[in-house]
Amino acid sequence: SVIDDSKKSLILLRPYQIHAIEAVQEASRQQASGYVWHTTGSGKTLTMLGAGFKLKELGMVHKPLYVVPSSLSAQFGQEIMKFFPTKKVFVTTKKDFVKARRKQFVSRIITGDYDAIVIGDSQFEKIPVSKERQMNYIEDKLNELREIKTHSENKYTVKEAEQSISGLEKQLEELQRFNRDSFIDFENLGIDFLFVDEAHHFKNIRPITGLGNVAGITNTTSKKNVDMEMKVRQIQEEHDFKNIVFATGTPVSNSISELYTMMNYIQP
């Protein structure tokens, strides 16, 4: 149960919310990650918060990060203070990313003992992973595509792989030349659990398929999806491929291939 501080009354979680919180705990024990696929309006926010705070209380995580749509980050923070008024929470804003405030922002995350850190997805994307991790990520993708190209008997797949290889090689060249003025790498923040709200915003990934040009399967990959995948992999690699929870009311909206995309984040 949680307290609605504005009404000074007790709010009882619904059975499916309790089950989801228990499932997240069990996943963490079993070296797994998971999803909260509850329909819009069913209380995913409380479910995620309940799961994160319980894991923190049990000492299973220390610095959970909640990635939410930027337009909802303030509202998300208000929800925490409404239902969990005793929790220590840091809600980041656009102002924290102004160059004059970046060091203070980073210091608060690194040194602060927060029960929850909330960040808008557009701000989240501005915190890069290290250059080395980006290069390793691209190299892994290149190796995967070269393997497909070598062994595929489907001409369409070979052509598609060649195009993707060419694009990734250009990205790698640009990255090797690029000297960015970064205030911090994501790896150095100490985040050990990632909750992603409205995770369907990260479904725009082009899969490699031998089936040709299939209706409903996207043929583009957005930068924010690549950024999310790199950060998910970083946390998974450091925490036995667990400590990731995606939440959405619409895991599939156009094509069943979206299910593959979502599962690839959690179960690569």
Side-chain angles (χ1 to χ4, degrees):
S1 62
V2 295
I3 296 174
D4 181 345
D5 198 45
S6 64
K7 302 175 183 177
K8 299 296 182 183
S9 61
L10 202 63
I11 303 296
L12 295 177
L13 294 174
R14 299 179 179 95
Y16 63 82
Q17 290 176 302
I18 296 172
H19 293 161
I21 291 170
E22 292 172 344
V24 171
Q25 292 177 56
E26 187 60 24
S28 293
R29 293 189 183 98
Q30 298 295 329
Q31 297 185 350
S33 297
Y35 300 95
V36 176
W37 286 352
H38 291 171
T39 189
T40 303
S42 61
K44 289 189 298 296
T45 298
L46 275 180
T47 301
M48 285 191 294
L49 292 171
F53 292 149
K54 192 64 180 178
L55 290 171
K56 175 89 173 179
E57 290 171 9
L58 294 172
M60 297 172 70
V61 302
H62 302 286
K63 196 171 293 185
L65 178 68
Y66 294 80
V67 180
V68 304
S70 294
S71 59
L72 300 177
S73 59
Q75 179 182 326
F76 198 94
Q78 291 167 3
E79 288 281 294
I80 299 177
M81 299 317 297
K82 175 182 178 181
F83 293 107
F84 302 93
T86 62
K87 299 299 182 183
K88 185 178 180 182
V89 180
F90 177 28
V91 181
T92 66
T93 65
K94 289 183 179 180
K95 294 180 181 179
D96 292 307
F97 287 80
V98 174
K99 196 167 186 178
R101 298 183 59 176
R102 285 179 180 176
K103 288 185 178 179
Q104 180 185 2
F105 155 76
V106 169
S107 178
R108 287 184 66 181
I109 291 183
I110 293 175
T111 63
D113 182 23
Y114 294 104
D115 296 304
I117 301 168
V118 181
I119 188 170
D121 52 12
S122 59
Q123 281 75 50
F124 178 73
E125 191 179 351
K126 291 178 182 177
I127 306 174
V129 298
S130 65
K131 182 177 179 180
E132 293 72 24
R133 179 166 291 276
Q134 292 182 55
M135 292 175 66
N136 289 337
Y137 173 86
I138 293 175
E139 286 286 4
D140 286 344
K141 292 293 183 183
L142 282 170
N143 289 335
E144 181 182 344
L145 287 164
R146 287 166 183 151
E147 186 76 11
I148 290 173
K149 179 185 174 184
T150 300
H151 295 96
S152 177
E153 297 179 358
N154 184 299
K155 291 182 179 180
Y156 180 87
T157 302
V158 171
K159 183 179 179 181
E160 186 181 51
E162 288 175 343
Q163 290 175 346
S164 297
I165 288 170
S166 177
L168 284 171
E169 285 176 341
K170 288 179 182 178
Q171 287 183 36
L172 189 58
E173 289 175 7
E174 291 174 3
L175 191 58
Q176 289 169 336
R177 293 195 303 265
F178 182 48
N179 293 316
R180 60 183 171 82
D181 180 22
S182 175
F183 60 104
I184 193 67
D185 292 329
F186 178 75
E187 298 96 304
N188 296 329
L189 293 178
I191 301 301
D192 60 355
F193 203 109
L194 185 65
F195 289 92
V196 181
D197 192 22
E198 305 296 346
H200 55 275
H201 292 164
F202 297 92
K203 291 191 295 190
N204 192 19
I205 292 180
R206 177 186 185 180
I208 297 296
T209 172
L211 299 177
N213 190 15
V214 181
I217 296 182
T218 182
N219 60 1
T220 60
T221 297
S222 71
K223 288 184 178 179
K224 78 172 189 176
N225 288 347
V226 171
D227 176 75
M228 175 61 75
E229 186 175 352
M230 286 191 290
K231 290 168 181 174
V232 165
R233 295 289 178 263
Q234 183 264 320
I235 291 176
Q236 288 174 328
E237 288 169 14
E238 292 190 1
H239 300 283
D240 299 319
F241 271 80
K242 58 183 182 181
N243 290 16
I244 307 291
V245 168
F246 277 23
T248 176
T250 54
V252 178
S253 55
N254 296 309
S255 167
I256 197 68
S257 69
E258 295 171 7
L259 200 58
Y260 169 84
T261 299
M262 298 295 282
M263 291 181 69
N264 186 54
Y265 280 113
I266 307 298
Q267 299 171 313

